[in-house]
Structure formats: C-alpha cells, structure tokens
Amino acid sequence: MDDRKRKVFVKSYGCQMNVYDATRMTDVLAGEGYEETTAMESADLIVLNTCHIREHASEKVFSELGKIRLLKQERVASGLDTKIAVAGCVAQAEGAEILRRQSAVDLVVGPQNYHRLPELLRRTDNGASVIDTEFPLEDKFDHLAHPTADKIRARGLNAFVTVQEGCDKFCTFCVVPYTRGAEVSRPVRQIVEEVERLAASGVREVSLLGQNVNAYHGEGPDGAVWSLARLATRIAQIPGVARIRYTTSHPNDMTDDLLQAHRDLPQFMPFLHLPVQSGSDRILAQMNRKHSVADYLRQIERIRAARPDMALSSDFIVGFPGETDAEFEDTLRLIEEVKFASAYFFKYSARPGTPASTMGDHVPEEVKVERLARLKALVDGQRDAFNAAMLGQTVDVLFEKPGRRPGQIGGKTPWLHAVHVDGPKELIGQIASARIIEVGVNSLYGRLNDSHTEASH
Ligand code: SAH
Ligand code: SF4
Ligand code: F3S
C-alpha cells in the first residue's frame, strides 16, 4: 500500500445520536491513519451511518449504495482501494440482507460495535465481506478513542454527548428498541471525563443525548444510581460548561428532581423536546405510549410551574393505523392547548417487525399528506408567535460564529433562536446580552448591550 494518508467519508442519516456516533467513528479511525474528508470521491473508506426509523430513511440507503458502487468500480479501475461500510440502524436491523441487496458492501456494523472498526476493517482486507451486529458484552465506550484537542476545536462550541442508549418503551410503531437494544446508561465518571475533555478545548454547550434521556440511570462515582438531574448538576460544575440541553425525553420520565434542576440549575436551558405523538387517547393506547392526553397536559403544567419560560417542542405522527378524522382533530386541539415553539411531523410508516405494522386499517396517503399540512400550518403559526414575542426583549446569546454579513456575529438564545448582532469576533465563544430589535423568518436581529462581559449564563 502507498504511504499517503487514507481518507474516510462518513454520511449520517437520522437522529443526533448518529451524528455523535459519526464523530466517535472518525476518532477511532484516526488511530488507524484515516483522516476525514467531505469529498466522497476521494475517500478510501465510505461509511453510511444509517437510520431505519421510516421506510423512506431506510430505502435512501440502498439508492445511495447503488451510486457508491459505481464510484467504487471507477476507483478500483484506477487502482485505488475503496471500502464501503454500512453502520447505524439499518445495519443493525437488516444485517446480511444488505450484502444480498448490494454486494459492493464490504462491512456491515451495528451501533454497539464501532470500537471494533479497526479489527473489522482488517478482516475485509482480503476481499471478504464482514458483518458484526452483535450486542457485545464489553462497553464500547471503554474502547473508543478520544478526539484530539484540535479536532474538538474544529467541531465548534456545541457538542453532543450520548449518555444513554436504547429504549425499553416499545411504542408499537417504533424500531428503536430493536435497532438500539435495551436501555443502557453510561456511568457518570465516563461522561464527566468526556465533557471535561470537550470543555477544556472550548466547548461551551453540551447536549446530552439518549433515546430516552430523561430515564437516564447511570452508575455514580459513589456507587449509587444517578438520575439525569444529578448527572446534569455534576456536569454544570465543569469549568467552561455554560449551557446544558438534553434530548429526547419521554413524558412519563419527567421526574420531580429533573423539574427541580430546571428551577435551580442556571446552565439548564429552558427548551424541552417532549414528544407526544398524538392528541387522541385511543391512538395513544394503540401506540403503547403509556400516557393519556391528560397525563401529557399535566406534565406540561408541572414543567411550566418549574420553569415558566420553558419552550416546548414535540414529535407527531399522522395517519397511525385506524386514525379517524375526529382523532386527528384531537391532535389539533392538543397543539392549540399547549402552544409549541416548534415540532416535527411524520406520516406513519409501517416498519417490519413492529406491532403496528400488522394492525391494518391503513390511512390513505392523501389523507396523511393533508393532515400533515394542517398540523404544520398550526405549529408554524405558534412558532411565529413565539419568535415575535422576542421583540424588545433582552436575552443572553451564546455567540458561535461569524455572522452572514461582515462585522456581524451569530449565536443562539436559550430557546434556540438564531440571533445576529453587529459585534466583535472576540465575543465568539462567550455569552453576552443583546436586545432583540428585529424578528425575521428564520432568525432574530439584536443589539449588544453596552458591556459585553459574560453574563451569569
Ligand atoms: N425516543 C424518541 C425518538 C424516537 S424516533 C421518542 O421517544 O420520542 C423520533 C420520532 O420519529 C418519534 O418521536 C416519532 O414521532 C417518529 N417515528 C418513529 N417511528 C415512526 C414510524 N414508524 N412512522 C412515522 N414516524 C415514526
Ligand atoms: Fe421509539 Fe417509543 Fe422508545 Fe421513543 S419511547 S424510541 S418512540 S419506542
Ligand atoms: Fe434512526 Fe436509529 Fe436514530 S432508527 S432515529 S438512527 S436511533
């Protein structure tokens, strides 16, 4: 082999946990001499980090693989070795089926096995196809390489840190309990060390990730089981950490201590993604969500009592099997009652192996499209009202990067609005307070307050 540096291209689909996993994969591969590239054509190793959540997400992978096969053929014809790896949730769910559908694939690796990438790639060196979708006994996080300080800096001020993986909830529509396995929480010490390393290289905002992050129950340094609130309180003590967020939460796991932490912990940002999926009790029961509409509304009330300025977002599924017009209207009513700052909407997609996929009584595509548009219009209006209410307010902004125009810098409010101000580059990485003087469609415009010293977070 020639001695030039090998290059790896990683493309991630799906949730933020995949984005985090992509960084961990490139960190492991750096130890094998691979440097990251954003140009797929120049990569010696192409990794598709896939998502299985909806049919569309899953099928995209196979059409992408078709194109990559041609690229591989061209490169191999020019004497350039090229490997294709499929990682993520499609890898976990489909395993050998991927090789059957696309023989150009060299490696299929599930999310629990990324620490084995170097060894697995070596096993493909003689042209063999390799599959590893086992749930290993060892903890992958104990074996994954850490990023260098330069890499952390290049990735910016915000970092994702997975603290919990998998899900035990088994909503009837969802593949996650099958692709990511049972709920596992990382030990507190491991997470704290990771955040310390990130913060020492300039990270100011940490997003704690998990499929069910508010069910976090990791081993504490004292041997006791720690909750998410306790973990966040510990992370808040790490010098440099100015903001802490977490996602995604289940409504049934909003514990008292978590709400108390929202009251007490200045670093805890007042923005919560709390998926409800539907506003109909019958559909929620069919989904096995284990909460009613009234339960969800009660949670919202508790959350707002703890943090009156809490902004909320949610996920909704339209066209779950058997969803009637009246049941859909119930979802509109719930949205009107809660008032969201943003939301994600999905057309129900039957996933092989999930209980809902055999429920029958499928809602026609055109009905799903129409319901989706109505939900979106309603929440768009709520989002616009939420943004408009910022006008004239003075808010803390964490400045993250140069702005769109010269002399401008851009950052985020605690509620995730993008803000631009005229201000010095030196403020990037700092929190400063600004008065919002203009509300645009996608961002706010503000004026810095006189003293640009770091606010009290
Ligand atoms: N653990 C999180 C996220 C799960 S996946 C949670 O519990 O909310 C993200 C979103 O995808 C879900 O909230 C749900 O709205 C949507 N989703 C999951 N499975 C789906 C399916 N089969 N069809 C359509 N949307 C789906
Ligand atoms: Fe899927 Fe439900 Fe678990 Fe969320 S809580 S990951 S929707 S099974
Ligand atoms: Fe998709 Fe897997 Fe995330 S199915 S949403 S990548 S956990």
Side-chain angles (χ1 to χ4, degrees), residues 13-18 21 49-54 57 88-90 111 174-176 179-180 211:
Y13 303 81
C15 62
Q16 293 166 331
M17 297 184 70
N18 263 8
D21 286 347
N49 189 19
T50 61
C51 173
H52 197 57
I53 201 85
R54 285 166 289 273
C89 290
V90 177
C174 184
V175 292
V176 171
T179 60
R180 295 272 169 167
Q211 287 304 340

Side-chain angles (χ1 to χ4, degrees), residues 167-171 173-177 211-212 250 277 289:
C167 182
D168 296 339
K169 295 278 195 288
F170 289 93
C171 300
F173 51 81
C174 184
V175 292
V176 171
Q211 287 304 340
N212 251 314
H250 191 283
Q277 314 295 355
R289 286 290 293 181

Side-chain angles (χ1 to χ4, degrees), residues 310-339:
M310 185 76 87
L312 290 149
S313 83
S314 184
D315 292 343
F316 294 91
I317 293 178
V318 296
F320 186 82
E323 185 190 61
T324 64
D325 281 336
E327 286 163 344
F328 168 70
E329 302 280 339
D330 288 340
T331 300
L332 293 174
R333 243 189 309 283
L334 175 132
I335 294 174
E336 265 157 14
E337 183 148 355
V338 175
K339 300 201 169 40

Side-chain angles (χ1 to χ4, degrees), residues 226-265:
W226 282 33
S227 64
L228 180 66
R230 217 168 153 194
L231 173 70
T233 306
R234 174 65 188 86
I235 289 174
Q237 292 164 1
I238 297 172
V241 174
R243 291 182 167 184
I244 302 172
R245 303 180 186 275
Y246 60 94
T247 199
T248 297
S249 299
H250 191 283
N252 290 359
D253 294 316
M254 292 306 299
T255 51
D256 287 338
D257 71 332
L258 190 54
L259 295 181
Q260 190 59 43
H262 273 294
R263 264 192 210 108
D264 298 342
L265 210 59

